[in-house]
Amino acid sequence: MEEKQDRRFTRRDVFTASAGAAAVLGAAGLPILATATPALADSDHDRDHDRGHGLRVDPLIPSRNRGIILYSVRDRINAAPDNSGVPYGFERVLARLAEIGYKEIEFAGYNQSTEILGRQITPKEIRKILDDNGLVANGTHTSINAATFEQQMDIAQELGVKNIGTGGDPTNTSFKSDWDAAADLWNDLGRRARARGLRLYTHNHDAAYSFLLDTGPLDANGKPTRSSGKRRLEYFFDKTDPRYVFFELDIFWAYVARYKHKTYTDRWGREQTSLFDPILTVAPRPLRFPLFHAKDGNRNTAVPNGHDMVPFGEGDINFQQFFQTIGEYDFHHANWEQDTAPGGATAPAQSLDFAALSYTNMSELTIYRRR
């Protein structure tokens, strides 16, 4: 779990990497940044064609690292026994996800309907379901605070989870002093997690990549009202120890941040523009991001977030470019998430259907490598 030293990584590096990939693929007469179809990877003709150019086709996200956060199918995890014919509860839903092809699970709570067992399921029973289906728990969204942290780590280890985290920010304010205090706490909790063989991580929404208030005139409470241009979570990167504190980038919310958080007021009261690039927030520190939420969206400027959530591979986000550029393919784990996947009573199978479609699209992302 040691972290490589952060390196300077610029937009030029992205262009250089893309140009290098384009040169290799172009020379081989192959499509650039294209998602392969099963025929591309499986046909004898294409394998022979690949050998002739000294290339091979590999999955961009290895099958063992393709996961799902159960929040996407929360409607079926929490469903009581019904006559819909759609799986419900941990035992049936996890079996279906394994059948689809998922190898990893990220938890978003440990409860199901008590109508299934006549009581609440236990972490030990959930672990057996994971093991029976060949599934591994790669993370969990739980409450991270000093009072309950040991108990939460006990549950995580019962489930075989290696990464323990939260779906919220370490602090919900814009002020530097609050992020300093959060960094002190998280460094301590992360040290305790590491001692038990766990990684502590936090997950972002768009606000995490809004601008820190750290300069300029003070308000009535003595708080700064303007920004140096530093973004909240990127400040937190530098204030936390890379040995102890890790991150899960929600790719959808990162692109929402790119859309929403473009301007800030500097210390002199001037409006400044700064564009956020999700790729460039990961590329200098790829080993601080063991987990990703592979969440897709279609651009829609008619809605406040500028994007609508859709199943993975059905939107506008260029996951091929994203994962290819950040590298460290074997280290990164991609968990599909779609907050809007549940279909309710009118479409009880929708979230599991979206899970299947998203898995197929994720598995068809490929990368060309020299042999």
Side-chain angles (χ1 to χ4, degrees), residues 131-149:
D131 293 344
D132 288 348
N133 287 282
L135 295 168
V136 173
N138 67 20
T140 181
H141 281 197
T142 188
S143 177
I144 300 297
N145 60 71
T148 63
F149 194 53

Side-chain angles (χ1 to χ4, degrees), residues 68-356:
I68 175 174
I69 182 168
L70 295 182
Y71 185 72
S72 301
V73 292
R74 61 193 180 277
D75 59 324
R76 299 315 303 170
I77 291 289
N78 295 322
D82 57 32
N83 297 319
S84 68
V86 183
Y88 58 86
F90 279 107
E91 183 174 12
R92 293 165 179 81
V93 171
L94 293 186
R96 174 58 185 144
L97 295 175
E99 181 182 54
I100 288 170
Y102 288 103
K103 297 290 190 267
E104 298 192 326
I105 296 297
E106 184 180 23
F107 285 97
Y110 310 122
N111 291 337
Q112 64 179 16
S113 170
T114 55
E115 293 183 37
I116 297 173
L117 297 176
R119 56 173 173 80
Q120 192 50 256
I121 195 169
T122 67
K124 183 176 181 180
E125 290 169 327
I126 297 173
R127 174 63 184 271
K128 184 177 186 304
I129 295 169
L130 290 172
D131 293 344
D132 288 348
N133 287 282
L135 295 168
V136 173
N138 67 20
T140 181
H141 281 197
T142 188
S143 177
I144 300 297
N145 60 71
T148 63
F149 194 53
E150 291 296 328
Q151 178 187 14
Q152 292 301 323
M153 287 195 291
D154 290 343
I155 295 171
Q157 291 192 308
E158 179 79 56
L159 293 166
V161 174
K162 297 300 183 186
N163 302 285
I164 181 170
T166 177
D169 288 338
T171 179
N172 293 319
T173 83
S174 300
F175 301 115
K176 176 177 174 291
S177 59
D178 294 324
W179 285 90
D180 288 338
D184 290 341
L185 173 62
W186 277 64
N187 279 332
D188 177 62
L189 297 180
R191 188 179 296 108
R192 290 160 59 185
R194 181 186 171 97
R196 294 182 59 166
L198 301 170
R199 293 192 193 95
L200 174 64
Y201 71 95
T202 183
H203 159 281
N204 66 278
H205 293 93
D206 69 279
Y209 290 109
S210 62
F211 296 100
L212 199 68
L213 293 178
D214 58 352
T215 190
L218 304 183
D219 65 15
N221 296 315
K223 298 287 189 179
T225 57
R226 296 174 184 169
S227 180
S228 65
K230 192 77 172 180
R231 296 176 187 272
R232 299 184 195 182
L233 203 57
E234 292 187 330
Y235 177 75
F236 194 68
F237 293 160
D238 297 333
K239 294 294 293 184
T240 50
D241 192 317
R243 296 172 297 175
Y244 305 137
V245 180
F246 297 84
F247 303 91
E248 175 180 62
L249 187 79
D250 187 302
I251 300 171
F252 173 88
W253 289 116
Y255 278 95
V256 171
R258 178 178 176 85
Y259 173 78
K260 289 175 63 174
H261 305 299
K262 298 177 181 177
T263 62
Y264 65 94
T265 302
D266 71 15
R267 62 182 305 174
W268 297 281
R270 300 174 302 196
E271 184 176 280
Q272 302 288 350
T273 298
S274 175
L275 296 181
F276 176 65
D277 192 321
I279 291 176
L280 295 185
T281 200
V282 176
R285 52 186 74 82
L287 297 186
R288 295 197 79 178
F289 287 86
L291 302 176
F292 292 85
H293 274 180
K295 183 188 299 181
D296 208 346
N298 272 321
R299 189 69 179 267
N300 179 5
T301 57
V303 298
N305 288 328
H307 301 77
D308 292 317
M309 291 182 196
V310 295
F312 184 92
E314 302 298 304
D316 298 331
I317 296 175
N318 191 336
F319 290 100
Q320 177 77 35
Q321 182 189 49
F322 182 91
F323 284 109
Q324 186 168 328
T325 304
I326 65 172
E328 300 291 348
Y329 313 110
D330 292 331
F331 177 75
H332 294 142
H333 299 253
N335 292 323
W336 171 65
E337 183 180 38
Q338 184 181 340
D339 304 15
T340 58
T346 60
Q350 178 174 287
S351 62
L352 287 172
D353 289 344
F354 282 178

